[in-house]
Amino acid sequence: MLKRFIRYYKPYRKLFTVTFICAVFVALLELAFPLIVNYVVDSLLPTGNLTLIMWASAALFVIYIFNSGAHYVVTYWGHRLGINIETDMRAELFEHVQRLSFTYHDNHKTGHLLSNLTNDLFEIGEVAHHGPEDLFIAFMTLIGSFAVMLYINVELALLTFFVVPLLVFIVVYCNRKMAHAMKSMFVRMADFNARVEDTIGGIRLVQAFANEKHERRLFQQDNLKFKEAKIWSYRIMGINNSLSYMMMRVMTLFVLLCGAYFIVQGTLSIGDFMAFILLTNVFFRPIEKINAIIESYPKGYSGFKRFLAILDTNPDISDKPDARAVDEVQGDISYNDVRFGYTDTRPVLDGIDLSIRAGETVAFVGPSGAGKTTLCSLLPRFYEIQDGSITVDGIDIRDMQLASLRRQIGIVQQDVFMFSGTLRENIRYGDLMADDEAVWEAARRAELESFIRALPDGLDTVVGERGVKLSGGQKQRLSIARMFLKNPPILILDEATSALDTETEASIQRSLTELAEGRTTLIIAHRLATIRHADRIVVVTENGIEEEGSHSELLERGGHYARLHDVQTVFV
């Protein structure tokens, strides 16, 4: 872990070196002050030479000016170092999270990932700044001050040092307690964030069911657990600080009594005694710094462990070393003995064989949960098949680079996601380089043009979080506009027109038919009327592909499709 942590310093070696040198400079000047006081009291004061005393004070003043400048460098540039490292880690984590498959995101809460990207990395940044230099300076100051104390009076220095083992014991004991407390606190914080994200994200559902009291009760449970974890951590911190404070004050009193005894015995001068008292404060300042590190270290350590746990999660879907980029495909698709399940114990698809010709429009129908959407989700490798193969133009999709494979496929999903930007930004997501003319053309073909032109801000209209300002049908049409803009050779329409009224659905169907010409199109549908003109209809049930053929052929067979058609006809 230490090696992996250190590598984040490499891009900022110069910045780290400057702040580290300044921190060393600050520590050395702290040791100079007691020695100068010693010199003034024992050597200059007895002479009565005020000029020399003023020069000595002026020299000390200059030292303080340099020390103040060094303090600024350590505080400001040191924190810049920590922020740079924190920013690099956040970018690396975000990039890695984007590479993780649907399976990972299906099993992890968004609130936990947000906590990893914010709270955890903030604490790591603090440790990155304070940890190395504070620890080194603390030990250097501790050793340096003790060496000066030995130089002044060996006996008094040894008596003072007797308290160190007890302080070390307190530090180690509290560090272990703090690490455990901080781990618990961050787990509770992640749960708390997940609860807030769920409730705020689903606020319309909460209010629709009038379940505000239920959500408040769940929130209160997580809130109280978070509170208890924080109180426990601060209790440990308070005990640590109190014990350290008590030990330092007792030690100061001990030095005062012992120093007074040595002065009475004539073995210690007044100047040495004053310098020793000042050195005692310097001696214990590193211990206070170590205590501060102990407060931040468990937070950073726990956060870094969670950070590494995510980074060490290898994407279960990734490019092979020899994966090839595919610039263009014809659209021949073949499923060969494909097996897949979201868990190892319950397969969703078992031994699926299906061939789709380039330019063919194939519709998938069947009961919910039979695997229609799953079958289409395997094509762009949102999930990885467990056995068999899927090929496009005879190339196994696992031999293609993921990005190039997905560029060949346009998807309109049943659950439309809108970004909280403008209409232009949401439509242009289909082609980030598209100009306004292309965006308007896509909007026209998706039956959105008249709606957008009627808005005061046109394409600059903000859609709100997750498209809250748009109706369900408008969101579906905007999603279709993205697909028109992308214009891929393979189309997947997952209930693409399910939220549209009959008139708009008919016009969109005409546009989709036009777009599908010469392209391979996979349609997932429940309403059979929308897919009756498909080249081929595939009926998917829990037993796999039960039957396939054209609309008229399947009706003539009188099988599963015919029964679905009869049921829908009766209800219509």
Side-chain angles (χ1 to χ4, degrees), residues 231-401:
I231 289 175
W232 180 35
S233 67
Y234 284 113
R235 179 172 175 267
I236 301 298
M237 189 185 300
I239 293 172
N240 178 35
N241 290 341
S242 299
L243 288 175
S244 299
Y245 174 84
M246 185 63 185
M247 291 301 300
M248 285 186 281
R249 295 302 172 261
V250 168
M251 196 65 244
T252 302
L253 182 61
F254 178 72
V255 170
L256 185 65
L257 292 173
C258 292
Y261 172 78
F262 287 124
I263 289 174
V264 172
Q265 295 297 317
T267 58
L268 187 69
S269 67
I270 298 294
D272 287 343
F273 178 63
M274 290 184 65
F276 212 96
I277 290 292
L278 293 173
L279 281 168
T280 302
N281 292 329
V282 175
F283 180 73
F284 281 109
R285 199 164 296 155
I287 297 174
E288 292 177 342
K289 195 174 286 290
I290 291 171
N291 284 337
I293 295 171
I294 287 171
E295 291 177 15
S296 62
Y297 170 77
K299 299 178 186 177
Y301 176 77
S302 299
F304 192 61
K305 281 189 72 174
R306 282 188 294 275
F307 171 79
L308 291 183
I310 299 176
L311 284 188
D312 291 339
T313 302
N314 293 320
D316 53 356
I317 300 176
S318 58
D319 288 335
K320 289 182 177 180
D322 57 347
R324 54 195 281 195
V326 180
D327 296 327
E328 188 177 349
V329 299
Q330 297 301 313
D332 282 308
I333 301 170
S334 180
Y335 289 77
N336 306 300
D337 196 25
V338 171
R339 288 178 171 80
F340 173 78
Y342 294 102
T343 63
D344 295 333
T345 57
R346 187 173 178 271
V348 177
L349 303 173
D350 191 7
I352 296 295
D353 289 295
L354 178 66
S355 294
I356 302 171
R357 299 184 303 276
E360 186 179 14
T361 298
V362 176
F364 296 91
V365 299
S368 298
K372 303 184 298 297
T373 299
T374 300
L375 195 65
C376 293
S377 295
L378 294 176
L379 181 60
R381 292 185 70 194
F382 291 150
Y383 299 94
E384 195 77 290
I385 61 174
Q386 293 161 347
D387 200 5
S389 67
I390 301 174
T391 63
V392 175
D393 292 355
I395 306 170
D396 194 312
I397 58 174
R398 290 168 293 192
D399 294 328
M400 298 181 184
Q401 291 180 2

Side-chain angles (χ1 to χ4, degrees), residues 204 354 404 473:
R204 287 164 182 78
L354 178 66
S404 67

Side-chain angles (χ1 to χ4, degrees), residues 210-243:
N211 280 338
E212 291 89 346
K213 287 185 178 180
H214 172 70
E215 291 299 325
R216 280 199 298 270
R217 187 164 55 251
L218 295 177
F219 174 85
Q220 189 68 6
Q221 290 174 2
D222 286 326
N223 199 20
L224 287 175
K225 289 177 181 178
F226 183 32
K227 171 189 170 184
E228 290 168 1
K230 289 195 74 172
I231 289 175
W232 180 35
S233 67
Y234 284 113
R235 179 172 175 267
I236 301 298
M237 189 185 300
I239 293 172
N240 178 35
N241 290 341
S242 299
L243 288 175

Side-chain angles (χ1 to χ4, degrees), residues 365 537-541 544-549 553-555 557-564:
V365 299
I537 298 170
V538 177
V539 181
V540 182
T541 68
I545 296 177
E546 190 163 312
E547 53 186 356
E548 56 182 298
E553 289 173 347
L554 293 176
L555 287 181
R557 291 180 192 173
H560 192 98
Y561 181 82
R563 290 194 297 273
L564 285 175

